[in-house]
Amino acid sequence: MKALEGVKILDFTHVQSGPTCTQLLAWFGADVIKVERPGVGDATRGQLRDIPDVDSLYFTMLNHNKRSITIDTKNPKGKEVLERLVKTCDVLVENFAPGALDRMGFSWERVQELNPRMIYASVKGFGPGPYEDCKVYENVAQCTGGAASTTGFLDGPPLVTGAQIGDSGTGLHLALGIVAALFQREKSGTGQRVLAAMQDGVLNLCRVKLRDQQRLQHGPLQEYSQHGKGIPFGDAVPRAGNDSGGGQPGWILKCKGWETDPDAYVYFITQAAVWGKICDLIGKPEWKEDPGYATPPARLDKIAQIFDTIETWTKTKTKFEVMATCNPLDIPCGPILSMRELAEEQSLRETGTIVEVDHPKRGKYLTVGNPVKLSDSPAKVTRSPLLGEHTDEILSDVLGFSKDEVKVIREAGGV
Ligand code: COA
């Protein structure tokens, strides 16, 4: 038994944000039926291909545990099939450009008419307002949601981050909204609309920066290393390099081998509770009692110099040696792990966070499994579907079309 067993998802998503959401729902046990355009499919099937004519890793890694049906939703017979799916499923998830589903004839009003229990969930770039009609991709969301203006170094341009907080982050938000709406439907008996806007999702993940924006009105942000260096603040939250962003100062420091290995670094946090242990470790026991260093406020204007001194020590050790030395002392730190190191990390394989999947056309590849572990609903990752692999099975088993009806639909170009 799986947490979402029995829940049928009409998965009208493409690219990254929507597929992230429906993949999670599939891992929790929902039956996810991905609708794709005949002969074309989700655009990502063909994007960033590493093997000719084989579904890309971009696609396979976002569409596990789903079934694929092809439907031409602009064809009258295809529309009929889609209508039957709307009547049969519990949730419709989509991330088309604004208005695309209305133009197809499946507005929220129409979907409610067809199935009042339907939960209609959308990812859009923006919520209602001046930009609601805009198409949006990952980095647009990072820029308009506050991430880019607060990422990077003080003397450099805004930066986007490799973590796909706009796409995958918003997909995660949407999945939570869908599960909440399913829970409410248990009592109300009716569906509802669920909207996750990418700008809102990114801003939600950047809420500590909106916190700082308001603190800025009451004086400089003392924990930012900029403050310690005597650089005045402007009227908006600045980029803070590798500052920790919390109440405990942190920075990325070089480790042994940094001259040739771009990932020979460690994140080191000078947590107040373990200050004495840090002083002993780096050969500065006198800092424990020195009034200029003994308390967090006294250290604020010396943060850069303190990290320089700690780095002199970390440069004598590999990032793993730093971790092994600091951990028993409760000093929080973390090695900068490359994707190669993560792919090879045995403990992540053992928990199912990194999984090897077999695909009939590409062979074996690695993917990220369900990052959320439920003790009574374990997720088993199965490969992504080929384009239209389950069209016949869904038409007959799920939608109840007879063999003759399927033939007519096919001949009319509906699927
Ligand atoms: N049969 C027939 N037509 C289909 C179809 C099917 N099975 N599936 C999709 N289409 C059509 C749509 O109806 C639409 O046609 P229309 O514009 O004539 O009405 C068309 O395909 C394209 O859809 P659209 O969503 O506009 O795709 P796009 O490639 O132009 O834009 C995005 C891609 C991601 C920019 C856009 O979908 C978007 O902004 N989505 C919302 C935000 C989002 O999720 N962004 C992140 C993506 S990771």
Side-chain angles (χ1 to χ4, degrees):
M1 164 112 192
K2 293 283 172 65
L4 294 183
E5 206 164 298
V7 175
K8 280 198 169 41
I9 311 281
L10 195 179
D11 180 10
F12 229 151
T13 68
H14 63 156
V15 200
Q16 186 182 163
S17 63
T20 302
C21 165
T22 51
Q23 179 169 257
L24 276 167
L25 300 175
W27 282 336
F28 291 134
D31 179 7
V32 176
I33 298 171
K34 183 167 173 109
V35 178
E36 298 180 83
R37 207 194 306 224
V40 183
D42 187 325
T44 59
R45 284 189 187 265
Q47 285 174 357
L48 312 179
R49 270 194 176 143
D50 52 337
I51 306 174
D53 303 324
V54 172
D55 286 339
S56 69
L57 286 167
Y58 194 8
F59 177 82
T60 55
M61 291 178 72
L62 289 163
N63 290 286
H64 293 103
N65 299 63
K66 303 180 185 178
R67 296 198 273 176
S68 166
I69 178 173
T70 52
I71 306 178
D72 179 352
T73 60
K74 289 177 178 160
N75 171 297
K77 279 286 168 203
K79 270 200 170 56
E80 242 178 83
V81 176
L82 189 58
E83 250 187 51
R84 186 89 65 110
L85 266 176
V86 169
K87 286 180 183 158
T88 309
C89 290
D90 300 280
V91 186
L92 182 162
V93 192
E94 64 92 20
N95 67 312
F96 287 123
L101 215 54
D102 293 9
R103 287 194 291 278
M104 249 182 231
F106 291 88
S107 63
W108 164 228
E109 292 72 23
R110 176 73 185 132
V111 168
Q112 267 178 306
E113 266 171 34
L114 291 169
N115 179 357
R117 285 175 60 81
M118 175 65 91
I119 289 155
Y120 184 112
S122 306
V123 169
K124 291 288 166 266
F126 295 93
Y131 305 120
E132 63 185 312
D133 292 329
C134 298
K135 288 187 175 182
V136 168
Y137 282 107
E138 171 70 44
N139 288 344
V140 175
Q142 288 200 24
C143 292
T144 56
S149 69
T150 54
T151 302
F153 288 91
L154 192 58
D155 55 359
L159 276 187
V160 294
T161 145
Q164 304 285 282
I165 56 177
D167 280 343
S168 289
T170 308
L172 253 166
H173 283 92
L174 190 72
L176 179 60
I178 290 169
V179 173
L182 279 167
F183 191 65
Q184 187 171 353
R185 197 181 70 172
E186 289 295 302
K187 287 165 269 175
S188 69
T190 54
Q192 61 183 299
R193 279 207 83 164
V194 180
L195 170 67
M198 294 167 74
Q199 181 184 41
D200 300 7
V202 171
L203 183 55
N204 182 37
L205 298 175
C206 290
R207 73 174 48 226
V208 296
K209 298 297 179 181
L210 185 58
R211 171 201 71 193
D212 291 349
Q213 182 61 40
Q214 295 169 85
R215 290 171 61 224
L216 199 50
Q217 286 154 26
H218 302 283
L221 304 169
Q222 298 195 5
E223 77 283 8
Y224 280 51
S225 47
Q226 159 178 357
H227 177 63
K229 291 176 187 158
I231 304 170
F233 285 81
D235 58 6
V237 173
R239 291 184 268 289
N242 289 316
D243 282 342
S244 77
Q248 309 289 344
W251 200 256
I252 287 183
L253 305 177
K254 291 170 181 158
C255 294
K256 197 189 229 170
W258 66 273
E259 299 90 336
T260 51
D261 176 356
D263 296 310
Y265 289 84
V266 68
Y267 199 91
F268 197 102
I269 299 176
T270 56
Q271 194 200 11
V274 288
W275 175 244
K277 293 179 187 174
I278 294 171
C279 295
D280 288 336
L281 190 67
I282 61 171
K284 288 283 180 192
E286 64 275 19
W287 280 359
K288 287 191 279 188
E289 306 299 331
D290 184 333
Y293 291 87
T295 63
R299 293 195 285 274
L300 279 176
D301 61 350
K302 304 178 193 71
I303 290 293
Q305 176 229 333
I306 289 170
F307 279 120
D308 282 348
T309 309
I310 299 174
E311 190 172 64
T312 305
W313 176 76
T314 57
K315 274 158 78 174
T316 67
K317 309 243 174 292
T318 68
K319 60 190 177 186
F320 297 111
E321 287 166 351
V322 172
M323 182 80 170
T325 310
C326 290
N327 247 348
L329 300 173
D330 284 335
I331 300 170
C333 64
I336 308 304
L337 296 182
S338 69
M339 275 299 147
R340 182 182 59 74
E341 287 165 330
L342 286 163
E344 290 166 1
E345 176 59 49
Q346 206 44 45
S347 63
L348 294 176
R349 302 284 184 105
E350 280 157 19
T351 57
T353 296
I354 292 190
V355 186
E356 192 174 76
V357 184
D358 206 358
H359 186 276
K361 294 204 169 163
R362 76 165 32 255
K364 290 195 163 68
Y365 66 94
L366 289 185
T367 195
V368 183
N370 192 348
V372 187
K373 317 285 198 264
L374 271 64
S375 63
D376 280 354
S377 182
K380 182 173 179 331
V381 180
T382 59
R383 70 168 174 86
S384 59
L386 303 175
L387 179 60
E389 185 177 344
H390 305 97
T391 300
D392 284 343
E393 163 184 318
I394 292 164
L395 287 175
S396 54
D397 300 356
V398 180
L399 302 180
F401 285 109
S402 68
K403 272 209 169 79
D404 289 345
E405 285 172 319
V406 171
K407 197 162 166 254
V408 172
I409 293 166
R410 276 204 178 281
E411 281 170 5
V415 296

